[in-house]
Every structure is written in structure tokens, then in C-alpha cells.
Amino acid sequence: MWCVLARRAPARVGIAAVGLLAAGASAESPLPIDCLPDSLVRWEAAAPDPEARFGATSLPGIVLGPPGDSAAVNGSTSVASLGNGGTAVLEWRATVIEDGPGPDFIVFENAFYVGAAPASPADDYQVFAEPGIVEVSADGATWVRFPFDEQALGDAAGVNIDRALQERLRGLSGITPTFTGNWTVPDDPTSWDASGQGGVSGAGGDAFDLATVGLTEARFVRIIDAGSANGPAGAGEGFDLDAVVVLHGRPAAPATPDRDGDGVPDLAEQELHGTDPDLADSDGDGVDDGRELAGCRDPNLFDDAPWLEREPRLWLRDDGGCTELRWTFLGSGASYDVARGELSALASSPGGVDLGLTSCLADDEPAVRWTCDAEIPAPGAGWFYVVRVSGAPHYGRSSLLEIRQTPTGCP
């Protein structure tokens, strides 16, 4: 969610901030109810230099958003690479993944067809794939692994995979091409989708059903590079995590009033989503508002297109004399504004929070990282930082959902 982070002189300290790769509590509560993970609780890329892996400087935000744009024959670059044998653990806090009809979540890697996508279900093909093992947990302590064919994984080592081998690799992630499309629609590997590239549905990726491993719900997903060493050695080798998207989920129990019992606090329904706090299913489509939000669907419309409140979260750390900022990737083509202000200028105002005069650090920044704010506040003073998607009318909302507004900042 939109976050205010601050530092005081002379030390650079992020108030409620977290380490970029640490246990991953968000800097502000409540977290948004959506289909995307809230925290990267573990990132252990392969040695010898994990921080030199592709995408490492954009963590954690690069893997906490939706999948990036890609084509069936050219994978996304909005990824972070684990290297051979690396591990990532993602956590959902505002949302619980639950077992529903069919697949419950999708793991997106940047697999792609080599040469050309198949034109019919009879055509053979080659896929550049870097398989990943997928495990789930309800508590982060007890893990269950999705089953797969060990022999097939061995046969996939160091080679591009064809149709027959891809079918044998089901149960692993990173084997189905990812491309731009509806990333809340799971691919059915047994069915050819004439509207999808290469017959693949939605935006591709590999879908998983909790019923396969006997779980009714989960809060954590762990991905382990399977060690196939299919790509060239270097910063981009190994499983390239793009995104993990929940298809079936529900909000965690709200800590504030929820009159209709849909899991969405009344205040959020009124101030953020525009849904009816007295009606659990505002659009009458048979799915309550909380579950629609948890699946990145619009609770006000009969529509299966992906939908979410585009509000980046912000992390900072002291990086040897500079304050480094990173924020959430919210889709290819998005750009961001980052501003800094004085803590002493923060004030309540009618209908929101007045940020006072702010300085624009990044205007229409396409990356999800600002490398260095070398300025230091005066002794006894402190600064805050805010981020927004460029073009947004304000810098998001406080934890009480009050609009953050400023007369200055980025254009």
C-alpha cells in the first residue's frame, strides 16, 4: 500500500520501514486486499554473488506485482533470477489463498517458445524453460510440495522442452510460456485455446490447485529452482520469478467493522472501493466483494478482467550514505513519482492528510528503484518519503484511508 517512510537526523532510520530482503513486514497497515503477495519473506539466490543476479536491485517490489509484458517468443524482463537451486518464499497477509473450483493460483516465469509458437494443437514446439518446484504452507512452518515426475525433470536438464516433455513436467512451474494477456485466467494444459498465443490461455504461466496437495487454504508459496541449468551461465540463469497471482482467495478477518461480512472493512468499502458495506455481493454476480478483490476482480462489475487499486508500497534502507528507495512493480508501462517532505509539515486537513511542501526526487521514473538520496535533514528534523503511480491525483492514502495531498511535488 502507499507508505510514508521517514528518517531523522543524524541517523538515517526508516520509521516502520523494513529491510529490502528481510522478513518482509509491510511498512504500513492495513495492506490492500488483492491477489498479489504482500511480502517477500525469503530470497536466497544462488551463490557466488546473489546480489548480482538479474533483477536483484529491484527486489522486493519487482516480484510483488502483476506479471510484466512479454510475448510468446520473448520472455518478460520484469523478473528476478534465482540462479540454479535458489529459493523464494512469498507471503499473503491481507488475503488467504483458498481451495476453490479448479486452480487456485498461477506462478509466472518468463518461459517462451523457441523460434515460433505452435499454430495448431498438432504442431510440436520447443520451449525455453527453467523449471521451479512449488510448495505451499498455511503457517510458514509446515510445507507441502506439489508432485512432479522426477525422471521428466532429469530429462529436461540442459535442453529446450518439446510438447511431450512439457506434458510430463506438469506439476512444476516455469514450463508454460508467459505473454501479455488476462493474468487472472489460468491455462488449461489439456485444452487448446484458439484465442491464446500458441494455444495458451490467459497470460500463460503454470496454475496450481490446493486440492492436489490436500490443503483447503494457504498463506505462503515457496519456489525452488529445480537445478536444470537450461540457460547460459550468468546473472540471468535459473528460475526467473515474474509474479504469483491468486485466483481463489478471501480476505483475512478485518480488524475493523464489517457489517455485511464479506471480509472488506466498511471504511474501505465506502472510501476506497465504492462497494456497498451492507451488501456482501455488490455486483450480484454470486461472488462476494472480498473474494472478488482477493482474486483481482472488480467487485462492482460483472467482469473477469484483472483489476486492482494501483497503489505501490515503498521500502527504504541506508545504503552507505544514501537513502535507497524501492517500490512495487505495477505493470509494464507504469511510471512513478517519488517525493520527500518534512515530518514537521505533516498536518491533518479536511478530507485528508496535508503533506506540506515536498521535493520531487523522481518524476515519471520507469524503474522501481531510486538509488540515492544523499541529502540529510537538519539536526532534530526528519523526512518522509511517498510514492505514487505517475498521473495519480494524490500520494495515496494513510492507514486510515485518508487522502495524502500536497500543493507541490512531482508534476
Side-chain angles (χ1 to χ4, degrees), residues 22-39:
S26 83
E28 183 170 280
S29 181
L31 293 166
I33 299 169
D34 59 32
C35 64
L36 304 173
D38 298 310
S39 178

Side-chain angles (χ1 to χ4, degrees), residues 245-258:
V245 172
V246 172
L247 303 175
H248 295 123
R250 68 176 188 277
T256 54
D258 173 23

Side-chain angles (χ1 to χ4, degrees), residues 8 27 59 70 86 119 354:
R8 296 182 182 276
L59 291 168
S70 59
D354 184 357

